Amino acid sequence: MLIDARGLDRYPNFDCDLCIVGAGICGLALADELRAAHLSIVLLESGGINYELPTQALYRGEQEGQAYFRLDGCRWRMFGGSSNRWGGWCRPLDEIDFERRPWLEHSGWPIEAKALEPYEGRAAELLELADPRFELEAWRHRLPAPLPLEGTQFENILIQHSPETNFAERYGRRVCAAANITVLLHANLIALKLAPLSSRVSELKVATLTGRHFSVCPRAVVLATGGIENARLLLASQADRGAGLGNEFDQVGRYFMEHLHMPFGHVLLRPGVGDNRFYRRTRLLDAQVRGVIKPTASAQSAAQRLAASFALENASFFQGTPFLGWPPRLLYAPVVGYHGLRRARLAPLANALKHALQRVHSVPTRVRTWRRARAAHARGRARGPVYSLYVRAEQAPHPANRVTLSAQRDELGVPLSRLQWRIQPLDSQSVTGWLGALDRDLRASGLGHAEAPPENWTESIVGGPHHMGTTRMSREPRTGVVDADCRVHSVSNLYLAGSSLFTTSGHANPTFTILTLALRLARTLRTLLEH
Ligand SMILES: Cc1cc2nc3c(=O)[nH]c(=O)nc-3n(C[C@H](O)[C@H](O)[C@H](O)COP(=O)(O)OP(=O)(O)OC[C@H]3O[C@@H](n4cnc5c(N)ncnc54)[C@H](O)[C@@H]3O)c2cc1C
């Protein structure tokens, strides 16, 4: 059942087995997975079906440190969450990303990569990937040849592109139609309350922007409100525990991580050794894939550097996601127009217009990159092809990079988030170290060489935008917020979903891993609550 919370005259009693907060990628995947469960479920979503400025303004926030997107311009507060705008890059985290790396403080998840493997098939299905396999061997015969990197510290790996699955469009209808699920739109969680003298959440305080207030009383709760908002809501729930829920050891909000995305120098290949076709998006009959170059796990351990991947792009490649971080007011008309066309079943036209706008928006960047590549070509006196390197790098979990509460409040009285984010020395040394290693290895194997970016390269760092780590998974309550089952250590019926759980982030885009974690959580909840 789908209900607009603003229109209810009298609020029924929202007692239920499970309340999922947030109908983004995680919330909708969880609800979809539990459609057949013998559980009554309430799914609370702050937004409506459309992009609305007053709701989007609830995502405002303050920032300090490295330049970053406006917080209300890099996530989407509406049914479907950021799947209304995401880029579709998919790859699971690597084994090494879960391990404790002795040289990397605060590393080591309480689960291994193989705990998520059983959920990869279903995650791939939800993301509309044709094949859940990411091993290069499974695809090699269908793709152009990559650069021969055998004997170097690097390997070629595969990224799959989801058709930017919009979870609201794809799964929203069947979730709303499920007999056991009530979806409440325009329903904002503003605080969680514990039962007296207990460690159980007994009440969720909910408000609409039209001034209505009501409660949901579930047996268990999942917060799936995104990587910044999960922390904000725990910190803002101070009625029972002054520092916020789950925050006994001052862990909530800390260890914020982004992926460092940026243009990062060039590769100049020797004539005849190969080209970059493997590294560009290849459209196969049933899939879209591309290769990237990444350091092997053993090279990473030996060099004590963070993970990273390098894409070899044509000089005319557009670096970055257009319009990201723009004030919502400026984006309003194009976003509403885009969704309107899609709903009128004119998705190809909507996408063609979106891509045309992106191309126009990217002209200055393309010209700049092309000029740099031409200069690199001239300096390198090479006659072979020159490609732009685009790096996607891991950031170390650092407690000073964090989300806290601002003194300012939103329209519903909830303190705004305040993001403090800085690039740490290990973050920048890792990427420059890998570029140096790539240069040496390309020279030694006779393939060419790599050229460093301008000295002020840190100014071109952008994020995914991937908001990770703020309610990290840990073995002990002293070192994180949730346990291996995604349950808040100190609250017996409160679970979290999303990239706020990431203990470390690897280089891969987060959504594939987010989904495997959410599907695993769905199984845990079913076992717990159905019996
Ligand atoms: C432009 C862009 C490009 C991206 N590209 C990629 C990519 O290529 N690959 C990749 O892996 N990832 C990508 N991402 C990241 C990806 O979108 C996120 O990882 C994913 O959306 C996270 O899902 P989620 O359900 O945790 O959060 P979200 O999708 O953000 O959903 C959170 C939901 O919670 C709701 N909500 C928030 N607060 C409340 C509240 N108080 N009460 C009720 N509801 C609330 C929101 O309205 C929203 O619907 C991209 C993101 C953006 C913005």
Side-chain angles (χ1 to χ4, degrees):
M1 184 178 10
L2 177 67
I3 299 175
D4 189 328
R6 297 172 306 181
L8 288 172
D9 298 332
R10 202 170 49 79
Y11 287 104
N13 189 359
F14 285 115
D15 281 353
C16 56
D17 291 316
L18 177 66
C19 181
I20 302 170
V21 187
I25 290 185
C26 284
L28 280 170
L30 263 168
D32 190 57
E33 207 59 15
L34 295 171
R35 273 183 302 136
H38 298 292
L39 296 175
S40 56
I41 299 173
V42 169
L43 175 55
L44 292 178
E45 168 53 43
S46 163
I49 301 291
N50 296 311
Y51 184 74
E52 295 157 5
L53 292 177
T55 304
Q56 192 60 27
L58 299 171
Y59 264 164
R60 275 180 304 124
E62 293 173 4
Q63 286 153 260
E64 186 190 313
Q66 177 79 16
Y68 194 61
F69 309 116
R70 296 168 59 111
L71 295 187
D72 58 355
C74 64
R75 35 195 193 143
W76 264 244
R77 194 151 169 155
M78 60 188 280
F79 194 50
S82 291
S83 77
N84 285 288
R85 179 67 208 283
W86 77 305
W89 286 56
C90 293
R91 183 175 168 85
L93 293 186
D94 295 321
E95 265 174 48
I96 186 174
D97 300 327
F98 292 85
E99 292 166 6
R100 201 180 95 69
R101 289 168 263 175
W103 50 271
L104 179 59
E105 237 190 315
H106 312 295
S107 62
W109 293 51
I111 57 172
E112 295 176 10
K114 63 171 184 272
L116 300 181
E117 277 168 16
Y119 306 95
E120 289 184 355
R122 178 78 183 123
E125 236 172 80
L126 288 170
L127 291 162
E128 301 179 275
L129 304 179
D131 191 325
R133 291 172 301 171
F134 284 83
E135 300 80 31
L136 192 48
E137 284 320 309
W139 295 86
R140 199 183 281 276
H141 62 287
R142 304 175 69 188
L143 297 175
L147 290 177
L149 297 175
E150 295 75 21
T152 73
Q153 300 171 70
F154 296 87
E155 61 184 337
N156 293 301
I157 60 161
L158 198 94
I159 305 286
Q160 292 200 54
H161 289 277
S162 149
E164 300 174 22
T165 304
N166 179 318
F167 275 56
E169 285 177 7
R170 191 79 182 83
Y171 309 112
R173 200 179 294 269
R174 72 187 193 206
V175 165
C176 294
N180 64 331
I181 301 178
T182 304
V183 179
L184 287 168
L185 296 182
H186 297 111
N188 296 279
L189 175 68
I190 53 171
L192 298 135
K193 268 200 67 55
L194 298 182
L197 302 177
S198 92
S199 63
R200 287 190 69 256
V201 171
S202 59
E203 183 185 355
L204 273 63
K205 297 210 163 285
V206 185
T208 69
L209 279 168
T210 49
R212 296 181 181 256
H213 288 257
F214 64 99
S215 296
V216 177
C217 302
R219 286 169 60 208
V221 185
V222 179
L223 282 192
T225 57
I228 293 177
E229 225 55 16
N230 278 354
R232 178 185 178 201
L233 285 164
L234 290 182
L235 290 171
S237 298
Q238 296 176 344
D240 304 292
R241 297 185 187 168
L245 287 192
N247 200 24
E248 290 73 13
F249 296 100
D250 189 20
Q251 294 291 294
V252 175
R254 291 193 182 274
Y255 308 100
F256 173 85
M257 296 171 285
E258 245 292 7
H259 284 128
L260 309 184
H261 286 194
M262 72 206 121
F264 200 62
H266 295 90
V267 154
L268 294 85
L269 293 183
R270 295 221 351 225
V273 300
D275 56 33
N276 75 337
R277 279 180 305 143
F278 171 79
Y279 305 99
R280 283 172 19 213
R281 190 186 282 223
T282 305
R283 291 169 206 275
L284 302 169
L285 211 53
D286 54 351
Q288 292 192 34
V289 296
R290 70 163 64 214
V292 289
I293 292 176
K294 80 169 255 300
T296 62
S298 55
Q300 227 183 290
S301 303
Q304 304 194 344
R305 291 194 198 115
L306 300 162
S309 73
F310 291 97
L312 265 59
E313 303 287 359
N314 286 344
S316 61
F317 167 72
F318 168 62
Q319 325 271 9
T321 313
F323 311 115
L324 204 55
W326 279 31
R329 200 169 289 282
L330 288 183
L331 278 182
Y332 183 73
V335 170
V336 169
Y338 173 74
H339 286 297
L341 283 175
R342 287 187 70 104
R343 279 194 206 113
R345 300 193 184 279
L346 295 172
L349 177 62
N351 286 338
L353 284 173
K354 182 173 96 173
H355 291 139
L357 263 176
Q358 288 182 353
R359 292 190 88 76
V360 172
H361 177 271
S362 69
V363 165
T365 331
R366 284 162 181 265
V367 170
R368 216 168 31 243
T369 323
W370 175 77
R371 280 209 186 116
R372 277 201 207 133
R374 207 176 53 164
H377 204 185
R379 277 199 306 279
R381 291 200 193 91
R383 278 177 295 113
V386 179
Y387 299 118
S388 284
L389 281 174
Y390 197 88
V391 72
R392 293 179 171 80
E394 179 176 28
Q395 180 174 36
H398 196 290
N401 284 334
R402 63 188 298 203
V403 171
T404 53
L405 297 181
S406 147
Q408 285 192 54
R409 291 173 185 266
D410 68 16
E411 286 299 303
L412 299 169
V414 182
L416 299 184
S417 337
R418 175 176 172 75
L419 174 65
Q420 289 159 271
W421 181 54
R422 291 188 169 76
I423 306 300
Q424 305 295 334
L426 181 60
D427 305 336
S428 46
Q429 284 158 14
S430 280
V431 274
T432 49
W434 287 131
L435 188 74
L438 185 64
D439 179 45
R440 285 191 296 280
D441 283 2
L442 289 177
R443 287 177 196 272
S445 48
L447 294 172
H449 72 275
E451 283 205 343
E455 278 200 352
N456 60 349
W457 61 267
T458 49
E459 288 168 20
S460 13
I461 293 177
V462 288
H466 305 151
H467 306 139
M468 301 170 285
T470 56
T471 63
R472 66 201 317 252
M473 208 186 243
S474 68
R475 280 188 190 84
E476 311 244 341
R478 284 181 186 279
T479 53
V481 179
V482 300
D483 64 16
D485 288 330
C486 310
R487 183 176 68 78
V488 174
H489 284 296
S490 58
V491 184
S492 61
N493 63 344
L494 176 56
Y495 295 81
L496 302 186
S499 48
S500 64
L501 268 61
F502 285 21
T503 313
T504 50
S505 72
H507 69 89
N509 298 54
T511 302
F512 192 88
T513 303
I514 287 176
L515 264 179
T516 52
L517 279 165
L519 295 169
R520 179 169 167 270
L521 175 59
R523 176 178 283 191
T524 308
L525 291 170
R526 203 166 174 163
T527 312
L528 266 172
L529 298 174
E530 267 189 338
H531 300 113

